[in-house]
Each structure stands twice: as structure tokens, then as C-alpha cells.
Amino acid sequence: MSTVTPIPVRSPLPSALSGTTAVLVGGSSGIGLAAGVLLRSIGARVVLVGRDPDRLKAAVSRVRGVSRVRGAGPAEDSDDAVLGVPGDGGDEQTLAEAFDRAGHVDHVYVTAGGLSGIGPLTALPADDIRTTLGSGPLQTVFAVARAAAARLPAGGSLTFSSGILVVRPYPGMTVPLSLAGAVETLTRALAVELAPARVRVNTVRYGRIDTPLLRSLPGLDSDDAVAAAGSTAPLGRFGTAEEAAATAVFLMANNYVTGQVITVDGGETLA
């Protein structure tokens, strides 16, 4: 008979996250910021990690101004309820500062990253490929995983992000899709490795979500352009950052989900 303590049982509803602490790497904009807003609204403490100090400051201010959901738990409106740590999410010193300032951390969510290494494989300089694969988003994921594995308690969770092009690739995306595929493989491997510590690991595979990153792409820099492009999707529009972030919040709350890649794409992989 196993003598290992089972994973804690608690309510799987998001309201159960009240009073917990979440570190959001890439939390200064887009889906990461939306997750911070949702978590704060249900009474969680939030630590945002971002590279741009000005954008991070604005994000902290926005999350601090969130109205709490009625019945989410005791109020905690001190400055300590929302913290911002400037720096690269793949830097061990930045991550150590984030965890140290947070104190006790229950959940970690990684949305940091960008679009790099795009182009035909034979046309990409070898140095660009090495940089993208060696010191880009994948390095951030491993750095966060190492930090979180040493800090998260039983019942804690680690959530990553990937994209639907992993299962619907197109030319010119070989290098970035290799990164996303590696994240999904890491999710399953790390879920097994951390299961004895009762720490859960999952990934959300996103479709096209209306974020600053999406709007940085050519031809998508206005509301009309985004609406027109989204009209061809099965549900007639792109997803919102809040809809995308809600799945990460679900994964933090549900203590019986691990090693999974959950797709949030409005049905795009079916089209």
C-alpha cells in the first residue's frame, strides 16, 4: 500500500483560488494580464513578471484596480496583493526574485514568448536557429519549470502555453513550431516527474486570440482588420484574452487534471 500523501481534495471551482498566490510569467500584457485580472477578481494574490518596466507598471495598476467578485473571500487590497517583477522570465535571478517576493507560491503560469525563427528552414541563418532554440521561449519554459519544481507545494500547478499550429503546421513555421511541440512534450514528461510531489503540469494550446501579439502581425493592426480576419473562423471571430486566460484559471483550480494539453481555438482545428 502506498504511503505517499494523496493530492489534496478541494473545490474545483475558480473561487477556491481565493487566497492563493499565482506567479504569471509574461503577465504584463495579453493573455497573461487577462489571467491576472481574473485571478485578482476572485481574491488571489498575483505576481506579474514582464520585461518592459513601463508596461509592467501599467499592468500592475490595472490588476490592482480590479473589483472583486462578491463572495470570493476576505478582502486583501494591500499593495502586497499585486506585485510586479521586471525582467526576463527566462532569467534565473528574475525568477528567484519573483518567488522570493511572493513568499508562498501556489500556481505558475507561463505565457511569455514571441514569434521568432519564422521563415523557410533552409533560408534561416544557423545562428538564428540556435538562438531561437537555445535562448528563446524554450529556455524560459525550462527555467520556470526548474524554479517552480523546487518551490511549488502539493496541490500546486504549473501551466504552459502552446499554439494550434503544432497540429496544423504551415510552411515557414518549422522552428517556432518545434518549440511549441517541445513544450507539449515537456508538459507530459514533467507531469509524470512531479506527480510524486503532487504538483500538476498542463498546457493550453491556443488558437488565434485577440492580443497585442496578434495585432503586431501585418494587416491586423486595427479593430476592423481583426474583425474581418476573425469572421472566417468557425465561431465568426477570434477569441478574447479573457476567454483564453479562463482556461489557465480552470487548470489551476481543478486538482485532478495533469499532463494535459487543452485546446482553446474556437473550433479552428476542426475547420
Side-chain angles (χ1 to χ4, degrees), residues 73-130:
E76 183 189 352
D77 296 320
S78 67
D79 288 345
D80 185 63
V82 183
L83 301 173
V85 177
D88 188 334
D91 178 70
E92 292 186 358
Q93 185 174 347
T94 298
L95 293 172
E97 180 183 353
F99 277 89
D100 289 344
R101 290 187 61 189
H104 177 87
V105 175
D106 300 284
H107 305 285
V108 179
Y109 179 37
V110 186
T111 62
L115 297 175
S116 59
I118 296 176
L121 186 62
T122 56
L124 288 172
D127 285 346
D128 288 357
I129 296 175
R130 280 192 291 268

Side-chain angles (χ1 to χ4, degrees), residues 186-268:
L186 173 65
T187 296
R188 292 184 284 270
L190 201 56
V192 172
E193 184 170 325
L194 298 184
R198 305 315 187 208
V199 171
R200 299 176 297 107
V201 186
N202 296 287
T203 283
V204 185
R205 181 191 288 154
Y206 291 115
R208 289 180 290 179
I209 307 298
D210 187 0
T211 65
L213 180 61
L214 181 99
R215 290 182 178 237
S216 70
L217 299 175
L220 292 176
D221 56 353
S222 70
D223 290 345
D224 288 344
V226 170
S231 68
T232 63
L235 295 183
R237 64 171 174 83
F238 293 152
T240 68
E242 291 75 18
E243 289 168 333
T247 303
V249 174
F250 157 77
L251 289 170
M252 293 179 195
N254 194 315
N255 235 10
Y256 205 63
V257 181
T258 194
Q260 302 304 304
V261 178
I262 297 181
T263 299
V264 179
D265 70 347
E268 283 197 75

Side-chain angles (χ1 to χ4, degrees), residues 133-203:
L133 296 179
S135 60
L138 189 57
Q139 193 274 334
T140 296
V141 166
F142 272 97
V144 174
R146 282 169 54 84
R151 303 262 196 151
L152 288 174
S157 74
L158 176 57
T159 305
F160 299 121
S161 301
S162 74
I164 61 170
L165 292 183
V166 170
V167 294
R168 293 192 66 180
Y170 61 78
M173 295 294 289
T174 297
V175 174
L177 293 186
S178 296
L179 296 176
V183 169
E184 296 190 4
T185 299
L186 173 65
T187 296
R188 292 184 284 270
L190 201 56
V192 172
E193 184 170 325
L194 298 184
R198 305 315 187 208
V199 171
R200 299 176 297 107
V201 186
N202 296 287
T203 283

